[in-house]
Amino acid sequence: MVVFKKPHALTDVPMHYCPGCTHGIIHRLVAEAIDELGIEGRTVGVASVGCSVMSYDYFNCDMVEAAHGRAPAVATGLKRSMPENIIFTYQGDGDLAAIGTAETVHAASRGENITVIFVNNAIYGMTGGQMAPTSLPGQITQTTPYGRDVTKQGYPVKVCELLSGLDGPTYLERVSVDTPQAVKKAKKAITKAFRNQVEGKGFSLVEVLSTCPTNWGLTPVESLKWCRENMIPYYPLGVYRDKGAEK
Amino acid sequence: MPNVIIDPNSCKGCGLCVSVCPKKIIKMSEDKINKKGMHYAVMTDSQKCIGCTFCALMCPDCVITITKDDEESDGHV
Ligand SMILES: Cc1ncc(C[n+]2csc(CCOP(=O)(O)OP(=O)(O)O)c2C)c(N)n1
Ligand code: SF4
Ligand code: SF4
Ligand code: SF4
């Protein structure tokens, strides 16, 4: 009996991510959710710009590549023209919370029936480790060599908290993948975000705290610890909106 | 009994599986490298494996497959 294997919704293409980058874990969880709900044939993913730009090669469903930050707008168009299809976006924090802030906020406030997977690794990974809106106060990056100074660079954008101020979203949850237990919880949240769409419930976003060992300058194992000790206290895990449960 | 299968050539040597195994039975190959040029994860004592799947849950590259012998069938086909 097989108790654990690669999900069908992932292709056999080797992922280009750096060793130990948790983008890979999050890809697997998305694919497991697609498998469990049996929706691979009618799912269309929207890849964003960032390290996950090539996720169109890794998911077995149809994929579209959006311009930087525009994934929720592209997903809106897809969903409205093909309401029977299941549409998800997979976006980093530079994509979703910097250049794509407007698309994120308005898709959420319109309550579009789409699923957004938001990977927050507190840095611009693809371009070599510049400060992201989500970089922590004091965090050293290529563009904040003395640490992010909140008097000059401002405070991090907390996406779940920000969107929870809107009436539009149906489901907002922040999870992490720093331990096997956390991975199991993240899987539940991601599956729920897809199930909500299948049931026509509206906008669901799961923020996943992720690592970037390469640009954080840490080993993969140290990166999980850094996420646990620095990111989780600043970005508290939990459910920020669940209209299903509120009723 | 759980059976942990690690595909040596798709392993990127990140060590996340090693760090979460409660039985400390996975280690990195010391003298050998795989096709990617990386040290890869190897099972050292499969008898001690409890089948918790922690290693596979943390592997970013789906390198690990876990099977369990069917207890009901008792080894008979
Ligand atoms: C219009 C436009 N502006 C800027 C860029 C450069 N760029 C590529 S990826 C990226 C940020 C990626 O960071 P993030 O979304 O956090 O993803 P990560 O790589 O960390 O997974 C930027 C600014 C671009 N490709 N297109
Ligand atoms: S640069 Fe960072 S986010 Fe991008 S693949 Fe490497 S570790 Fe992952
Ligand atoms: S299944 Fe559990 S005990 Fe067995 S090798 Fe993996 S982590 Fe270790
Ligand atoms: S977690 Fe996966 S890629 Fe990393 S060392 Fe273990 S088997 Fe290899």
Side-chain angles (χ1 to χ4, degrees), chain A residues 101-167:
Chain A
T101 313
E103 284 75 8
T104 306
V105 169
H106 289 289
S109 75
R110 292 192 306 270
E112 296 294 339
N113 188 27
I114 59 172
T115 303
V116 175
I117 307 301
F118 168 40
V119 180
N120 179 0
N121 60 10
I123 207 153
Y124 285 10
M126 183 192 217
T127 44
Q130 296 81 4
M131 189 196 93
T134 47
S135 296
L136 297 178
Q139 186 178 336
I140 291 170
T141 70
Q142 290 289 334
T143 45
T144 55
Y146 305 109
R148 180 177 185 161
D149 175 354
V150 295
T151 67
K152 295 197 179 78
Q153 287 97 32
Y155 288 89
V157 175
K158 296 180 169 181
V159 170
C160 282
E161 287 86 337
L162 177 76
L163 297 181
S164 67
L166 302 170
D167 292 336

